[in-house]
């Protein structure tokens, strides 16, 4: 198989494996095509007013301040005298979209939405707004359009401020909430002179939705314990009071309005959200008005937390809810009404179950179909009859408990049919995975080692093989065809056929390899296999526990001692060990973004300047005949860039602290630094250390702008270790007598690719590749984890922009994550060149290591539990699968950064004669 064909096949196989989990685990569980159910009894309210205070924590609203006075006096009065209250438990990811979907549509957001955009509806779903007669909503352009777009007909109206208003560096984000309150007031005032609007407002089934983003924006910009965040809560409290009073007056206090105040998610003490910390998942819920229970006095309540005591609310009944469930205890109505409401709820879910079952029945052969036993047709009829009878006999409590059982069973059944094909598809993918990894191992052994003799398979055997595999493929395709399976099933089930055909064709290589392995010392083979397994497991574990990387780095620190390398290179070995220990500290630190530490970022900038001064001094001293003034100029520009970045970080954070916004000059410098950092390294000489140091300085200037704490030091220490690694690999080459030792000082990247004599692979090269994969994983998890990337802190991008822009901010954060990867990839490029290995052979070993890890993660993918568990398990798998595709790109980028050189036009000097 030629190299282009192999790369294409590899990309195709990996793309299929990557997409497969979204089909196997994350296809949409929503069911369409049921008839809507309605409660026969009239509702107590004609309209609902929903206030969602985005980013409001439960404790921030309920706790008393230092003077023992409530943070929100009006709302405190409501929960003590007029309504019911509790904590609403949101799910991970604690982001605005899934939070609002759960509040307004009544279901945890479709898991398939993980792969979709930010503001759109990834799937069609029904919502309270859609079922209303009219909905008017005011607030953020990120949230409101989502529900208007999915609505049928023209009855959901939105009024949004501009996206530019959402500025984290603005003077006061509470203005966003004032905008909403002012617009609602003027809307009601204008309705008095607009007869059409007036009559629409007086209809039944009206929803008014006020989305208040100020608290969230202030929390990001100033942290939830700040004066700004607390002041914003007071302003919201006053605004809610005015709106409630105005609405009651407008409707002549008819007692037909229900009011709800809640939040979509909370926020951590350091101003981020997205993960599963209690400060992010616990949000307030206060409900009052038509059909809602009054405060219920109690003497004792059983809750595992101590909030009631802290908030001095022990005597008022706390009613907690999970987003998306009908809380009967909040309803102030007859037992008959409650029983009818939950019965309607149960019948609606049962309808979904029936649709799901019939869909699965249609696409499965009758003798293979196994129904969900607890809800057979007779059981369903039995449940419904019994409940109806209880309601007729006025045994309402029994009816309610029976409905709750039915709801749980129907949800279980929905999940059963939704995951019906999972095992079968999972096995197909696993078989394909194992086949592909085996094939890559055979390619390495066949083309890059001396372990096998190349023997061609004879034509007769290959024809028999081809027809055998073609026949198997046809049987699988026929079986899928008669079950009318989706086209993706054909891809997953047929992919293993050509992959295993390619493996079986290499039968002679396998036989040769087996003969060679048997002739080796048994203990050595087992030892090597165990070390490989342990190494892979350490890599897999590091995805869950960052501290595993520390253990790995400490083992690396001892590597020169274990292999006796330190005997021939004491200084290099000592530097290597010290830097490994230094880098091992980072995975033990808390994830980035917890504690901003701007002075540390500034100190790192100054430290980098110091190193570059030493480098400049040594460059000037060196008697290198290739050195010229242009190179010194480039080096000087890079030093200037580092100095400017340090200045920008310092002044930007001071300016934001004083609420003066982001200075325009700083913003211009930041974007110019970002652009120049990709060009400046290409102007420097292609000698190994000069080029690598130039890449470090350029990337470091951008990284400083994106840093808020200790992570600024990370690329510096990582690069130090990479330089030590390149030197250590030289010593290892000499130690194993594989090659003469090239002089690193004059090693030139530009000519490294011209080496005609690439050597064959040696067992030590497996360790080299493992080191590379380990450093790549360390580059990602050294300063953060999946959750920290998910719940990113916008403070990282304040030098570039402060106005909320999810894709621009996301892009800059991805760049921050990529910078350490580039440093490692460039070092690996140097290792390949200096150890005279073709990049293809080492890359293939890396491919095998990452594929074995990916197979691990494939079986660890979850679609249940909290969103954090689900999101983390997908992210791990996607990360490792993308790692191979990503490393191909990184390899290309590293080659470009290390080998290419841009020549600036030189001024010609005229000599006078």
């Amino acid at each position: 198989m030629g190299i282009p064909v192999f790369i294409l096949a590899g990309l195709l196989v990996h793309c299929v494996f990557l997409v497969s989990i979204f089909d196997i685990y994350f296809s949409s569980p929503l069911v369409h095509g049921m008839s809507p159910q309605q409660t026969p009894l009239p509702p107590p309210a004609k309209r609902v007013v929903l206030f969602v205070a985005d980013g409001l924590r439960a404790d921030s609203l309920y706790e008393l301040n230092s003077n023992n006075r409530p943070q929100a006096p009006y709302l405190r009065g409501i929960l003590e005298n007029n309504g019911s209250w509790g904590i609403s438990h949101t799910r991970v990811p604690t982001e605005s979209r899934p939070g609002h979907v759960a509040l307004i549509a009544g279901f945890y957001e479709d898991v398939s939405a993980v792969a979709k955009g930010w503001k759109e509806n990834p799937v069609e779903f029904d919502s309270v707004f859609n079922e209303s007669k009219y909905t008017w909503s005011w607030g953020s352009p990120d949230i409101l359009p989502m529900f208007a777009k999915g609505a049928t007909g023209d009855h959901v109206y939105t009024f949004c401020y501009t996206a530019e208003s959402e500025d984290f560096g603005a003077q006061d984000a509470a203005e966003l909430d004032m905008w909403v309150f002012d617009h609602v007031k003027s809307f009601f005032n204008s309705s008095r002179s607009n007869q059409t609007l007036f009559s629409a407002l007086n209809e039944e089934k009206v929803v008014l939705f006020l989305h208040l983003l100020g608290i969230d924006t202030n929390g990001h910009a100033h942290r939830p314990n700040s004066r700004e965040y607390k002041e914003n809560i007071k302003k919201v409290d006053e605004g809610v009071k005015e709106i409630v009073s105005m609405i009651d007056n407008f409707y002549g206090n008819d007692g037909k309005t229900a009011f709800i105040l809640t939040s979509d998610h909370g926020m951590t003490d350091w101003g981020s959200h997205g993960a599963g910390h209690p400060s992010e998942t616990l949000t307030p819920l206060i409900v009052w008005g038509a059909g809602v229970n009054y405060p219920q006095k109690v003497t004792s309540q059983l809750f595992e937390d101590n909030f009631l005591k802290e908030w001095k609310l022990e005597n008022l009944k706390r009613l907690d809810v999970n987003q998306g469930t009908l809380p009967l205890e909040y309803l102030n109505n007859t037992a008959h009404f409650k029983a009818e409401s939950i019965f309607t709820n149960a019948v609606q879910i049962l309808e979904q179950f029936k649709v799901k079952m019939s869909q699965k029945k249609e696409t499965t052969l009758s003798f293979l179909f196994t129904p969900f036993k607890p809800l057979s047709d007779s059981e369903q009829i039995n449940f419904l009859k019994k409940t109806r009878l209880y309601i007729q006999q006025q045994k309402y409590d029994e009816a309610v408990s029976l409905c709750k059982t039915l709801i749980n069973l129907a949800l279980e059944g929905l999940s059963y049919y939704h995951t019906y094909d999972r095992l079968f598809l999972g096995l197909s993918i696993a078989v394909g995975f194992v086949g592909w990894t085996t094939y890559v191992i055979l390619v390495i052994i066949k083309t890059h080692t001396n372990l096998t003799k190349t023997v061609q398979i004879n034509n007769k055997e290959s024809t028999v093989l081809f027809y055998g595999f073609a026949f198997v493929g046809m049987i699988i395709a026929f079986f899928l065809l008669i079950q009318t399976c989706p086209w993706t099933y054909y891809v997953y089930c047929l992919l293993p056929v050509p992959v295993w055909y390619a493996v079986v064709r290499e039968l002679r290589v396998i036989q040769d390899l087996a003969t060679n392995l048997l002739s080796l010392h048994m203990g050595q083979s087992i030892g090597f296999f165990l070390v490989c397994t342990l190494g892979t497991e350490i890599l897999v574990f590091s995805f869950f526990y960052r501290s595993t990387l520390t253990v790995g780095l400490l083992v690396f620190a001892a590597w020169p001692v274990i292999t006796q390398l330190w005997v021939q290179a004491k200084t290099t070995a000592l530097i290597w060990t010290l830097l490994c220990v230094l880098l091992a500290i980072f995975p033990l630190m808390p994830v980035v973004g917890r504690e901003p530490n701007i002075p540390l970022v500034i100190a790192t900038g100054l430290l980098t300047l110091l190193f570059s001064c030493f480098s400049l001094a040594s460059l000037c001293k060196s008697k290198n005949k290739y050195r010229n003034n242009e190179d010194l100029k480039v080096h000087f520009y890079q030093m200037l860039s580092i100095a400017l970045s340090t200045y920008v970080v310092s002044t930007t954070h001071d300016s934001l602290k004083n609420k003066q916004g982001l200075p325009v000059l700083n913003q211009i410098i930041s974007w110019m630094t970002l652009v120049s950092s990709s060009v400046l390294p290409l102007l420097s000489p292609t000698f190994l250390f000069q080029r690598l140091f130039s890449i470090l300085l350029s990337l470091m200037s951008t990284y400083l702008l994106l840093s808020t704490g200790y992570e600024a030091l990370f690329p510096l220490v990582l690069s130090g270790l990479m330089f030590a690694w390149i030197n250590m690999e030289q010593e290892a080459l000499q130690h194993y007598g594989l090659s003469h030792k090239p002089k690193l000082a004059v090693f030139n990247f530009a000519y490294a690719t011209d080496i005609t004599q690439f050597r064959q692979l040696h067992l030590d090269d497996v360790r080299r590749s493992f080191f590379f994969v380990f450093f790549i994983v360390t580059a990602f998890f050294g300063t953060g984890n999946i959750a920290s990337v998910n719940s990113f802190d916008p403070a990282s991008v304040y030098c570039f922009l402060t106005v909320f822009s999810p894709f621009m901010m996301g892009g800059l954060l991805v760049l921050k994550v990529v910078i350490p990867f580039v440093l490692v990839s460039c070092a690996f490029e140097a290792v390949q060149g200096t150890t005279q290995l073709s990049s293809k052979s080492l890359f293939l070993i890396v491919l095998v290591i990452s594929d074995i890890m990916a197979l691990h993660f494939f079986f660890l993918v979850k679609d249940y539990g909290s969103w954090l568990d689900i999101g983390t398990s997908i992210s791990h798998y996607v990360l490792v699968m993308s790692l191979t595709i990503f490393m191909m790109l990184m390899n290309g980028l590293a080659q470009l950064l290390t080998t290419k050189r841009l020549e600036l036009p030189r001024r010609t000097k005229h000599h006078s004669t």
Side-chain angles (χ1 to χ4, degrees):
M1 194 185 280
I3 291 177
V5 180
F6 181 80
I7 290 173
L8 275 175
L11 276 173
L12 177 73
V13 168
H14 280 88
C15 287
V16 170
F17 290 159
L18 184 55
V19 174
S20 70
I21 63 156
F22 292 104
D23 240 355
I24 297 173
Y25 291 98
F26 302 108
S27 51
S28 172
L30 289 188
V31 183
H32 298 283
M34 298 83 52
S35 43
Q37 307 291 318
Q38 286 190 334
T39 310
L41 303 175
K46 284 176 72 173
R47 65 201 75 88
V48 174
V49 182
L50 173 63
F51 301 95
V52 176
D54 204 305
L56 175 60
R57 288 161 50 148
D59 57 350
S60 299
L61 181 70
Y62 292 138
E63 70 188 2
L64 303 174
N65 62 21
S66 48
N67 306 328
N68 240 0
R69 299 188 51 85
Q71 300 279 13
Y74 173 71
L75 289 168
R76 180 76 173 206
I78 289 284
L79 72 89
E80 285 177 353
N81 308 310
N82 302 63
S84 294
W85 76 284
I87 290 177
S88 169
H89 297 264
T90 68
R91 270 212 208 173
V92 180
T94 41
E95 299 290 356
S96 291
R97 192 181 78 186
H100 281 89
V101 168
L103 287 168
I104 295 159
F107 72 96
Y108 292 116
E109 190 175 9
D110 186 353
V111 244
S112 66
V114 172
K116 305 292 197 311
W118 192 287
K119 301 176 191 179
E120 294 298 319
N121 274 344
V123 285
E124 291 211 355
F125 59 81
D126 203 2
S127 72
V128 175
F129 295 177
N130 195 25
E131 291 296 324
S132 68
K133 185 77 184 272
Y134 293 106
T135 292
W136 286 277
S137 53
W138 296 263
S140 161
D142 296 329
I143 296 298
L144 305 188
M146 176 168 86
F147 294 97
K149 192 181 175 194
T152 49
D154 187 19
H155 65 279
V156 177
Y157 302 99
T158 58
F159 305 94
C160 308
Y161 36 75
T162 59
E164 289 70 40
S165 314
E166 300 174 24
D167 189 346
F168 294 122
Q171 288 189 323
D172 192 5
E175 291 304 317
L176 299 176
D177 299 343
M178 296 301 105
W179 185 97
V180 170
F181 293 135
D182 293 343
H183 276 71
V184 175
K185 286 174 199 165
S186 62
F187 172 78
F188 271 90
N189 288 336
S190 69
S191 74
R192 296 186 188 278
S193 55
N194 179 338
Q195 194 50 48
T196 320
L197 180 56
F198 187 81
S199 54
L201 278 167
N202 279 286
E203 291 277 1
E204 292 195 350
K205 293 168 79 173
V206 163
V207 177
L208 302 166
F209 171 42
L210 286 73
H211 177 245
L212 310 166
L213 187 68
I215 294 177
D216 183 70
T217 312
N218 265 324
H220 282 308
H222 306 289
R223 311 289 181 258
N225 293 319
S226 63
R227 185 179 56 79
E228 290 82 357
Y229 187 85
K230 289 173 178 167
E231 283 295 319
N232 203 156
I233 294 175
K234 278 201 178 70
K235 286 183 180 173
V236 165
D237 184 57
E238 287 158 14
V240 169
K241 181 181 178 180
E242 288 172 21
I243 296 294
V244 171
S245 158
M246 182 199 68
I247 287 175
D248 281 343
N249 289 337
F250 181 85
Y251 289 109
N253 292 314
D254 64 352
K256 291 282 183 188
T257 313
F259 297 94
I260 301 169
L261 179 128
T262 186
S263 173
D264 53 348
H265 56 74
M267 190 172 281
T268 57
D269 289 342
W270 49 94
S272 71
H273 55 81
H277 191 271
S279 60
E280 296 165 272
T281 58
L282 303 182
T283 58
L285 176 61
I286 302 175
V287 190
W288 69 102
V292 179
N293 256 333
Y294 285 101
Q296 299 166 55
K297 297 275 190 284
V298 287
T299 47
S300 66
Q301 303 187 62
L302 285 174
F303 282 100
E304 287 175 12
D305 51 54
N306 293 322
F307 294 139
L308 290 167
K309 207 171 183 183
E310 287 171 28
W311 303 337
K312 299 201 168 35
L313 288 168
E314 304 100 315
N315 302 329
L316 288 173
K317 189 164 187 189
R318 168 179 150 190
L319 305 166
D320 284 14
V321 300
N322 287 322
Q323 287 181 355
T325 0
L326 176 70
L328 287 178
E329 292 145 308
Y330 274 84
L331 303 184
N332 177 18
N333 216 310
T334 60
H336 183 201
F337 181 86
K338 289 182 184 179
E340 284 287 4
S341 298
I342 199 158
F343 181 61
T344 309
N345 199 354
V347 172
Q348 187 73 69
I349 294 172
L350 190 62
E351 282 288 316
Q352 294 187 29
F353 168 79
K354 285 179 182 170
V355 172
K356 198 81 175 169
M357 184 174 80
S358 64
Q359 284 173 354
K360 194 41 64 193
K361 222 173 183 173
E362 281 165 21
T363 58
T364 312
L365 295 174
S366 53
F367 64 90
L368 289 175
F369 182 71
T370 11
F372 181 65
K373 297 275 190 316
L375 267 189
S376 59
D377 292 350
S378 58
E379 280 293 322
Q380 291 175 30
I381 295 164
N382 196 10
F383 264 114
L384 298 177
K385 269 187 180 168
K386 248 188 184 171
T387 313
R388 212 4 97 214
L389 192 67
Y390 278 145
I391 291 175
Q392 282 166 4
Q393 293 172 350
Q394 300 186 356
K395 294 181 179 173
Y396 300 125
D397 289 347
E398 287 90 334
V400 167
S401 79
L402 202 60
C403 285
K404 283 180 176 171
T405 312
L406 180 57
I407 286 174
N408 289 334
L409 280 175
L411 290 171
E412 264 179 55
L414 273 168
S415 168
Y416 170 81
Y417 286 120
H418 185 61
T419 59
Y420 195 83
D421 293 331
R422 186 169 294 174
L423 180 69
F424 151 68
L425 290 175
L427 283 173
S428 296
I429 291 292
V431 169
F433 238 125
V434 174
W436 168 255
T437 311
T438 312
Y439 179 67
V440 177
I441 293 172
L442 292 174
V443 168
I444 295 170
I445 287 161
K446 190 177 165 187
T447 54
H448 297 283
T449 67
N450 305 320
L451 288 175
T452 60
K453 304 183 289 292
T454 49
V455 184
Q456 278 296 314
I457 189 166
N458 68 48
N459 284 345
K460 194 179 175 189
E461 277 180 31
S462 73
T463 314
V464 171
L465 264 182
F466 177 77
Y467 284 116
F469 274 93
F471 180 65
V472 171
M474 282 163 69
I475 289 176
I476 293 171
F478 175 70
F479 187 70
L480 293 171
L481 188 70
I482 54 175
Q483 295 198 78
T484 58
C485 291
W487 66 271
T488 47
Y489 281 36
Y490 289 84
V491 178
Y492 305 143
C493 298
L494 290 172
L495 182 72
V497 178
V499 170
W500 278 102
Y501 169 63
V503 171
V504 177
R505 278 192 65 183
E506 306 294 346
L507 204 59
R508 298 285 165 83
V509 178
I510 300 170
Q511 286 166 347
D512 273 3
L513 181 64
T515 318
N516 274 327
L517 285 177
L518 290 171
S519 65
L520 285 174
H521 188 268
M522 201 62 183
Q524 273 183 331
S525 305
I526 294 171
F528 176 68
F529 181 73
L530 284 175
V531 168
C532 287
T533 312
L534 182 70
T536 312
E537 288 308 312
I538 282 183
L539 285 174
V540 169
F541 257 84
S542 66
F543 277 67
F544 298 98
Y545 310 103
R546 288 167 62 224
S547 50
T548 317
L549 292 172
T550 303
V551 177
L553 284 164
L554 293 176
V555 173
F556 281 13
W559 167 56
V561 181
I562 299 164
T563 55
Q564 298 293 304
L565 267 176
W566 68 280
V567 178
Q568 68 191 56
K570 288 190 174 60
T571 319
T572 314
L574 186 66
I575 294 170
W576 162 267
T577 304
L578 274 174
L579 286 166
C580 276
V581 172
L582 257 180
L583 194 66
I585 298 168
F586 284 92
L588 298 175
M589 305 279 275
V591 290
V592 169
R594 294 285 165 98
E595 291 302 321
N597 189 340
I598 301 303
L600 187 60
V601 179
I602 295 164
T604 307
L606 298 175
L607 187 66
T608 314
L609 270 179
L610 189 68
F611 283 141
S612 43
C613 287
F614 281 130
S615 165
L616 190 65
S618 68
L619 195 65
C620 293
K621 275 184 201 166
S622 71
K623 305 267 190 296
N624 193 335
K625 64 175 189 286
Y626 299 110
R627 177 175 67 76
N628 59 40
N629 289 341
E630 295 295 324
D631 300 344
L632 292 179
K633 266 188 207 167
V634 171
H635 195 94
F636 182 71
Y637 284 139
Q638 290 184 310
M639 286 173 67
L640 182 68
S641 184
I642 293 277
L644 278 173
S645 292
T646 312
Y647 163 78
V648 167
V649 169
S650 171
T651 52
T652 299
H653 284 272
D654 283 347
S655 172
L656 290 175
K657 219 179 201 170
N658 302 328
K659 295 192 186 164
Q660 291 166 347
L662 169 61
V664 178
L665 178 67
N666 288 12
Q667 197 172 11
I668 293 168
I669 293 173
S670 297
W671 285 105
M672 281 174 69
T673 305
L674 178 64
V675 173
S676 68
S677 66
S678 55
V679 180
L680 280 175
L682 299 176
L683 298 171
S684 65
T686 50
F687 293 107
L688 188 128
F689 285 114
Q690 276 174 269
R691 177 52 71 96
L692 288 181
F693 195 71
S694 173
I695 291 168
L696 168 66
L697 286 184
S698 279
L699 295 179
M700 198 64 201
S701 57
T702 305
Y703 200 84
L704 283 171
L705 293 170
L706 292 165
S707 298
T708 59
Y710 75 86
E711 81 271 19
L713 279 164
F714 182 69
L716 216 51
V717 179
L718 185 68
S719 296
L721 185 60
M722 292 299 102
F723 283 126
W725 183 34
I726 295 164
N727 281 301
M728 285 301 289
E729 289 299 358
Q730 284 306 293
E731 302 299 340
L733 263 190
Q734 209 177 9
H735 183 71
Y736 290 109
L738 291 176
S739 162
H740 65 283
K741 183 177 168 185
K743 278 188 179 174
L744 287 181
V746 293
F747 179 83
N748 194 325
F749 278 119
Y751 307 117
T753 47
D754 298 341
I755 300 172
T756 45
Q757 192 48 56
F758 284 128
R759 60 182 180 81
Q760 292 284 37
L761 282 173
H762 179 261
L763 211 52
D764 195 43
D765 295 320
V766 176
R767 176 200 51 77
R768 268 185 197 99
S769 304
F770 176 75
F771 270 28
F772 172 58
V773 178
F774 188 90
F775 287 136
I776 280 281
V777 173
T778 308
F780 186 82
F781 289 110
T783 59
N785 56 18
I786 301 287
S788 70
V789 174
N790 177 22
S791 60
F792 68 82
D793 179 10
S796 305
V797 298
Y798 284 169
C799 291
F800 292 91
L801 75 164
T802 53
V803 175
F804 182 66
S805 164
F807 294 107
M808 185 77 80
M809 287 179 164
L812 287 166
L813 282 152
V814 167
L815 176 70
K816 183 179 176 179
V817 172
V818 165
I819 285 173
F821 282 138
V822 177
L823 294 172
V824 175
S825 299
C826 291
F828 190 54
E829 192 66 29
V831 167
Q832 285 170 12
T834 56
T835 55
Q836 297 171 343
L837 268 176
S838 77
S839 55
K840 186 184 168 219
S841 56
L842 277 188
F843 185 75
L844 287 176
I845 302 177
V846 169
L847 191 67
V848 172
I849 296 172
S850 56
D851 277 349
I852 293 169
M853 285 166 66
L855 191 57
H856 259 76
F857 288 121
F858 180 76
F859 290 109
L860 293 173
V861 170
K862 286 180 176 178
D863 68 334
Y864 57 87
S866 77
W867 259 80
L868 181 64
D869 301 339
I870 295 171
T872 306
S873 70
I874 306 172
S875 310
H876 286 163
Y877 180 69
V878 171
L879 249 175
V880 179
M881 286 310 299
S882 331
L883 200 64
T884 30
I885 300 166
F886 181 65
M887 283 193 296
M888 280 183 187
L889 296 173
M890 280 290 130
N891 199 17
L893 180 63
Q895 269 182 3
L896 172 81
L897 280 175
T898 52
T899 56
K900 295 285 174 277
R901 183 161 190 198
L902 297 174
E903 292 289 344
L904 288 175
R906 305 260 172 105
R907 280 185 303 226
T908 49
K909 293 180 181 175
H910 297 283
H911 298 282
S912 52
T913 48

